[in-house]
Amino acid sequence: MVSCKPGRRSITTQTLTARRTGSTWVWISALIIPVLLLAPAIWNGYPLLQYDTGGYLARWYEGYLVPSRSTVFGIYLHYGESSYFWINLGIQALATLWILQLVLRVLGMAQPARLVAISLVLILTTALPWLASMLLTDIFAGLSVLSLFVLVLHGDKISVPEKLLLFVFTAFAGATHSATLAVLLGLCCVGWIVRPLLRGRIAVSGLLQGSLTIVIGAAMLLAANFALSGQLAWTPGGYGVAFGRMMQDGIVARYLRAHCPEQKLKLCPYRDQLPATADDFLWGNSMFNTLGRFKGLDDEMGFIVLHSLAEYPAMQAEAVIVATAQQLIDVATGEGTHGWIPHTYGIIERYMPAQLGPMRAAHQQHWDINFKVINRIHVPVALASMLAVVAILAAGIWRRRLDDITLLAATVSVALLGNAFVCGVISGPHDRYGARMVWIATFVALIAAFRNFADRSGTPEDSFPL
């Protein structure tokens, strides 16, 4: 009995020490990670801006719908305007930290030191801090995939308040961009399809909750559109964006050459002068402006898109495969985030003149950001991470081991492929669309690496220190 007492005191001391250490790591992660996530914006002296930022900023003020510019995200930005948008960046950083730790927690890897280690690697090697530091919807694309994963597959492991907050976050993320909503919808559809094959690994209640976030997200967007514009309508521009991709692939020119003799289309006089890229057509100084932009050409673009799909199925199929494959490897950080974004500058000058000083003084507006150097790290890491996620999924299927890591790898793989399909086929391949999503592949690869190290060392998962 006497010999047991020192042992008990020793265990108690170790437990208290471990708790103090854990508490220290919790505070470190809570304070340091959000700051590091916002390091690009802090260094810049102002939130990072992008080509599309101005369109979102203007939604509150202009009172009409603009193609591909969510009013939900516009309202979100407006309510952070008085803080020079630092409130928005704070929300984005804290949401990132919350969802990263939530994923680790439901996977049984909730050690704070591990969260710090994984977060640091993501911050140093992926686009994550640049996304969190930017006034753009892109940070919510990857986060929503992870939040949907937790909600659908591990909702029983989180509290009711957390589940409600996660539900609202996922719906909001879907409402910020149609492509994000489409990816989430695709994930839910795949979930319903494979559920009978997974022997109860996916609960019906979880899938219902995940699917309901899509409905609420869509309703949120319709309500915001009605509130700001008086129109109960979806965000416009789908046909125009798809038209641009088909024009870039040569399909529009072929259609016009074949049908202009008998069809009186506005674009017929320009059929031999079409720009080489969709960006040049939609956002450059092209005949698109001359013919009234979306308002003047939307019906005609929709007509050509639908008829081209029917008339050239083989050409369309080839373009879809090429665009999806290209989008998968277009993952460089920083597209559209440089010193020449006149529309965004003009919107800030027109509606937020008080912010002109800090905006113009920022490093971005002086061309001080060198993404070429950054992408020497980001691009190889992104491509290697995608290969690693596919390997993790393939190994799980080969071994018939559908553990949580395999299911997470499957979720991310489907999300990456869906994102590449939706963005590459509809809008055409862009690095921005890949970079905003591919960091979650690095996250999965890091989780698998830490789990594998714990298994090899024989350390119990709940006591492994990193």
Side-chain angles (χ1 to χ4, degrees):
M1 293 294 293
V2 175
S3 62
C4 292
K5 291 180 180 179
R8 288 194 182 116
R9 284 198 297 270
S10 177
I11 291 173
T12 302
T13 302
Q14 291 175 0
T15 301
L16 291 174
T17 301
R19 287 178 178 175
R20 290 194 190 99
T21 302
S23 177
T24 301
W25 279 110
V26 168
W27 280 106
I28 289 174
S29 61
L31 296 173
I32 299 301
I33 293 175
V35 172
L36 292 178
L37 284 168
L38 298 183
I42 294 170
W43 167 81
N44 189 50
Y46 191 78
L48 296 176
L49 306 173
Q50 203 263 357
Y51 276 138
D52 295 348
T53 302
Y56 293 109
L57 292 174
R59 297 289 44 81
W60 177 267
Y61 296 97
E62 293 182 344
Y64 57 86
L65 303 181
V66 171
S68 303
R69 301 293 178 264
S70 165
T71 52
V72 171
F73 190 70
I75 293 172
Y76 160 78
L77 290 181
H78 175 72
Y79 282 107
E81 183 182 322
S82 60
S83 70
Y84 286 56
F85 304 107
W86 289 104
I87 286 177
N88 302 98
L89 297 194
I91 291 171
Q92 291 167 193
L94 292 174
T96 302
L97 172 62
W98 175 56
I99 289 177
L100 292 181
Q101 69 83 25
L102 205 57
V103 173
L104 292 176
R105 176 147 60 90
V106 300
L107 295 179
M109 302 171 65
Q111 297 84 344
R114 175 171 292 159
L115 172 62
V116 172
I118 289 177
S119 298
L120 286 176
V121 175
L122 291 174
I123 289 167
L124 292 172
T125 65
T126 75
L128 184 58
W130 299 92
L131 300 175
S133 296
M134 192 177 300
L135 299 182
L136 204 62
T137 65
D138 292 2
I139 184 62
F140 298 107
L143 290 178
S144 65
V145 172
L146 299 178
S147 66
L148 187 69
F149 169 79
V150 175
L151 189 65
V152 172
L153 289 168
H154 298 281
D156 58 332
K157 298 179 182 178
I158 60 177
S159 66
V160 172
E162 284 178 316
K163 189 182 294 188
L164 290 173
L165 188 57
L166 202 63
F167 182 95
V168 172
F169 175 86
T170 308
F172 167 78
T176 63
H177 200 284
S178 295
T180 301
L181 191 69
V183 170
L184 298 178
L185 175 61
L187 285 171
C188 288
C189 290
V190 171
W192 284 109
I193 292 170
V194 302
R195 183 184 173 276
L197 306 176
L198 297 183
R199 298 188 295 276
R201 289 303 305 272
I202 306 179
V204 172
S205 60
L207 272 174
L208 286 173
Q209 291 169 21
S211 301
L212 190 57
T213 64
I214 311 300
V215 177
I216 298 302
M220 196 182 296
L221 183 59
L222 290 172
N225 285 351
F226 181 77
L228 291 187
S229 71
Q231 295 179 267
L232 189 63
W234 196 257
T235 303
Y239 281 130
V241 176
F243 177 90
R245 195 272 302 168
M246 292 185 187
M247 187 206 68
Q248 187 169 288
D249 292 329
I251 297 171
V252 170
R254 178 175 176 179
Y255 183 87
L256 292 175
R257 284 194 296 267
H259 295 281
C260 274
E262 69 272 6
Q263 293 180 0
K264 295 181 179 180
L265 299 172
K266 296 177 184 178
L267 283 167
C268 283
Y270 304 95
R271 61 183 178 273
D272 296 322
Q273 305 169 32
L274 295 176
T277 69
D279 287 340
D280 290 338
F281 178 75
L282 294 172
W283 316 116
N285 187 20
S286 72
M287 66 286 301
F288 185 60
N289 295 334
T290 305
L291 297 173
R293 297 187 63 76
F294 290 99
K295 185 175 182 180
L297 272 181
D298 198 50
D299 291 341
E300 182 167 308
M301 290 190 296
F303 177 85
I304 293 174
V305 165
L306 295 175
H307 284 75
S308 295
L309 285 169
E311 291 193 29
Y312 311 121
M315 193 175 183
Q316 293 281 5
E318 180 183 357
V320 164
I321 294 171
V322 171
T324 302
Q326 185 63 47
Q327 183 59 75
L328 281 171
I329 62 174
D330 283 353
V331 292
T333 300
E335 182 183 27
T337 304
H338 45 65
W340 179 244
I341 43 177
H343 179 259
T344 295
Y345 297 158
I347 293 298
I348 292 175
E349 184 175 9
R350 182 183 307 169
Y351 299 117
M352 293 155 260
Q355 301 202 25
L356 280 178
M359 186 270 288
R360 287 174 174 166
H363 285 286
Q364 179 183 351
Q365 281 64 59
H366 293 274
W367 297 83
D368 293 337
I369 305 175
N370 188 350
F371 282 109
K372 288 184 179 180
V373 174
I374 293 168
N375 281 316
R376 290 175 186 171
I377 298 173
H378 286 193
V379 172
V381 169
L383 297 177
S385 297
M386 285 193 289
L387 291 175
V389 168
V390 172
I392 293 166
L393 176 58
I397 294 174
W398 176 260
R399 297 171 184 172
R400 296 184 179 181
R401 181 184 176 185
L402 291 178
D403 59 7
D404 291 334
I405 304 295
T406 302
L407 290 175
L408 178 58
T411 300
V412 170
S413 297
V414 173
L416 290 172
L417 184 60
N419 179 70
F421 174 81
V422 171
C423 295
V425 172
I426 302 299
S427 299
H430 287 76
D431 282 302
R432 173 196 160 195
Y433 301 144
R436 71 184 182 188
M437 187 72 75
V438 74
W439 68 267
I440 62 176
T442 309
F443 183 45
V444 175
L446 289 170
I447 290 174
F450 275 97
R451 174 68 64 83
N452 183 63
F453 183 75
D455 290 344
R456 287 178 178 273
S457 66
T459 307
E461 186 59 37
D462 59 357
S463 63
F464 187 65
L466 286 179

